[in-house]
Amino acid sequence: MPVPHIRFATPDDEDALGRLDRATWSTQHAVMPRPQPPYEPFYNDRFGPRDHLVAELDGVLVGYVRLGHPTTLACNSHVRQIQGLAVSDAARGAGVGRALLRAVQDEARRQGARRISLRVLGHNTPARKLYESEGFVVEGVLPEEFLLDGEYVDDVFMGRGL
């Protein structure tokens, strides 16, 4: 099985990232409505190529993770937050998500972060198990925070020290 190659995204990756984001959209992890044409650009004023690590298998982009700051406050600048993670259906089970998680933690450390956090929907058991296996712990739960497909879903806050 090929090993995922992880690198920073480039401006040339924007179309592929947008397609991947739309192809993987699901209420399993998304709280925003399904994207509809005309599609918004993947990169925006808040997140550009250097805020994304991408995974490739055999030269094909199959996943990404977005790393950001949870707030703009100087007193919170030692924390980074995973603000998006996607893996193509075809690449699931190939270690792509785990490789992206490990790489983004390394990048957060390189940036001087002491902590990393994320939010995950309570019903997203596969993602929660992956995060837990990489040392993330539940630090808080907002019960029934979202109404998705007619069901109330918890917003789970997870984090870990670096």
Side-chain angles (χ1 to χ4, degrees):
M1 180 177 288
V3 175
H5 170 69
I6 309 296
R7 62 171 175 79
F8 278 103
T10 68
D12 291 341
D13 293 321
E14 184 167 20
D15 287 342
L17 286 166
R19 285 192 307 274
L20 174 65
D21 211 41
R22 292 186 297 273
T24 58
W25 184 94
S26 162
T27 55
Q28 182 76 11
H29 59 82
V31 296
M32 299 298 289
R34 180 183 295 278
Q36 300 294 324
Y39 299 117
E40 295 286 323
F42 185 81
Y43 299 137
N44 57 42
D45 292 342
R46 188 166 174 215
F47 296 110
R50 295 296 291 180
D51 301 308
H52 296 85
L53 295 173
V54 298
E56 295 176 324
L57 286 176
D58 295 325
V60 176
L61 194 147
V62 295
Y64 78 84
V65 61
R66 177 180 297 138
L67 183 64
H69 294 269
T71 73
T72 58
L73 299 169
C75 61
N76 189 228
S77 65
H78 63 286
V79 180
R80 295 297 179 278
Q81 189 172 57
I82 294 170
Q83 297 183 346
L85 175 69
V87 175
S88 72
D89 289 344
R92 291 193 190 276
V96 172
R98 187 172 307 280
L100 284 166
L101 269 182
R102 290 179 178 174
V104 80
Q105 290 177 80
D106 288 344
E107 176 57 20
R109 281 186 203 96
R110 189 194 67 72
Q111 292 178 14
R114 296 174 43 90
R115 284 184 37 77
I116 191 165
S117 62
L118 60 88
R119 294 167 67 175
V120 60
L121 295 176
H123 64 195
N124 193 345
T125 304
R128 290 180 64 180
K129 286 183 177 181
L130 173 63
Y131 300 143
E132 288 170 2
S133 75
E134 289 297 318
F136 287 82
V137 296
V138 173
E139 296 180 337
V141 176
L142 298 173
E144 298 185 353
E145 187 71 3
F146 300 106
L147 179 61
L148 303 172
D149 284 342
E151 297 199 21
Y152 291 99
V153 180
D154 295 348
D155 187 11
V156 180
F157 191 82
M158 300 181 79
R160 63 162 294 168
L162 295 170

